[in-house]
Amino acid sequence: MNANQYRWFEFTLIFILLPLLGFGLREHLANWLIPALIILMSVCCMLLLGDPHFKRFRLTSLGQFSAVKKRLFSFFFLGALFSGMFYGIIHQGNWFTLPRNSFNDWLLLLLLYPILSVIPQELIFRTYFFHRYKRIMPKKAVRIIVSASVFALAHIVYANWIAVALAFLGGLLFAYTYAQSRSTVVCVIEHSLWGIWMFTLGIGSYLDSGAFN
C-alpha cells in the first residue's frame, strides 16, 4: 500500500466508516459523543504534530484573518438576523428556550461549547483534513466540498435531516474560511459564533440527546 492508498484508507475509516458506525450505535452514544470527539481530536493532533511538513503556527495564529473578518462578521450578523426572524415565525414556542428556561445552562454552554465541541471539530474537520489529504485532494475547492460533506455525515448520529443539512451548510462556510485564513483560531471563532447562536435561538434542540429518541 503506497502513501496515497494509505491516506484514502485512513480517510474512509475516519470520515465515513466511523460516522456510519456511530449512527448504528447512536442509541448507546448519548453520553459518549464528546469523549469520542476528544479522543479522535487527540489522535489527529498527534499525527499533525508528528508531521514535519505541518506548519504548527496554523494552530495558534490568526493567519489571514484580515482577509476574512469583514465577510465573517457581516455574514454572521445578517444570518443571525434572518434565522432569528424565520425561526421565530415557524417555531415560536421554542424561540430562545434555553436562555429563557435555563439561564445557568445557557451560560455553561457559552463557556464549554467552544472548548469541548468547536475546537475538536475544527482541528479534525478543517486543520487535520486540509493538511492530511492535500496530497490526494490537491484542489482546494474539492477539499472544501468534501470537508463539508464528511462534516455533515458525522452529524447523522443525531438521526434527523435538519442536523445534517445545517452541518453541511456550516461545513461549507467553515471550510471556506479555513481555506482563506489558514487558521484554526479563526475557524473556531466563526464556528463558535454560529453554534452558540443556534443553541441560543433554539435550533440546538436538533443536536442534543433527545435526537436519539
Side-chain angles (χ1 to χ4, degrees):
M1 182 181 295
N2 60 38
N4 285 353
Q5 290 172 331
Y6 176 80
R7 275 175 168 72
W8 278 116
F9 172 78
E10 179 190 279
F11 165 79
T12 303
L13 176 64
I14 295 176
F15 293 100
I16 297 178
L17 296 182
L18 276 183
L20 293 177
L21 179 63
F23 178 75
L25 299 174
R26 65 189 181 280
E27 294 181 358
H28 308 285
L29 291 178
N31 297 320
W32 293 97
L33 290 179
I34 294 299
L37 186 65
I38 291 174
I39 290 171
L40 182 56
M41 175 198 70
S42 301
V43 172
C44 291
C45 284
M46 287 176 58
L47 291 172
L48 279 177
L49 296 177
D51 186 344
H53 299 291
F54 176 65
K55 299 174 181 177
R56 298 188 179 190
F57 66 83
R58 299 203 189 283
L59 297 173
T60 55
S61 169
L62 287 175
Q64 301 300 315
F65 180 56
S66 59
V68 302
K69 64 179 180 180
K70 183 177 180 179
R71 187 266 302 166
L72 189 157
F73 290 114
S74 61
F75 190 74
F76 171 73
F77 176 78
L78 293 174
L81 182 63
F82 174 78
S83 61
M85 294 173 58
F86 181 73
Y87 192 68
I89 293 172
I90 67 171
H91 210 324
Q92 188 172 3
N94 201 38
W95 203 40
F96 293 99
T97 184
L98 184 59
R100 285 192 293 111
N101 299 335
S102 187
F103 188 74
N104 289 338
D105 288 345
W106 179 68
L107 291 179
L108 195 62
L109 170 75
L110 298 183
L111 175 65
L112 296 182
Y113 174 71
I115 298 172
L116 297 180
S117 183
V118 174
I119 291 176
Q121 290 182 68
E122 290 308 312
L123 283 169
I124 295 167
F125 291 96
R126 256 62 69 179
T127 309
Y128 180 81
F129 180 92
F130 269 74
H131 174 76
R132 186 73 170 176
Y133 305 118
K134 183 176 182 179
R135 177 183 295 181
I136 59 175
M137 302 177 196
K139 292 186 178 180
K140 190 178 294 185
V142 171
R143 273 177 285 156
I144 290 173
I145 294 172
V146 176
S147 172
S149 299
V150 295
F151 186 60
L153 181 63
H155 286 72
I156 64 170
V157 70
Y158 295 107
N160 68 82
W161 69 268
I162 294 178
V164 175
L166 289 175
F168 179 72
L169 294 176
L172 282 176
L173 181 62
F174 307 148
Y176 180 70
T177 295
Y178 185 79
Q180 282 193 310
S181 68
R182 307 301 287 175
S183 167
T184 304
V185 175
V186 173
C187 287
V188 167
I189 293 171
E190 183 175 44
H191 191 161
S192 296
L193 285 173
W194 280 103
I196 289 173
W197 170 248
M198 291 300 175
F199 279 103
T200 300
L201 185 60
I203 300 176
S205 60
Y206 296 102
L207 299 169
D208 62 23
S209 57
F212 293 101
N213 298 323

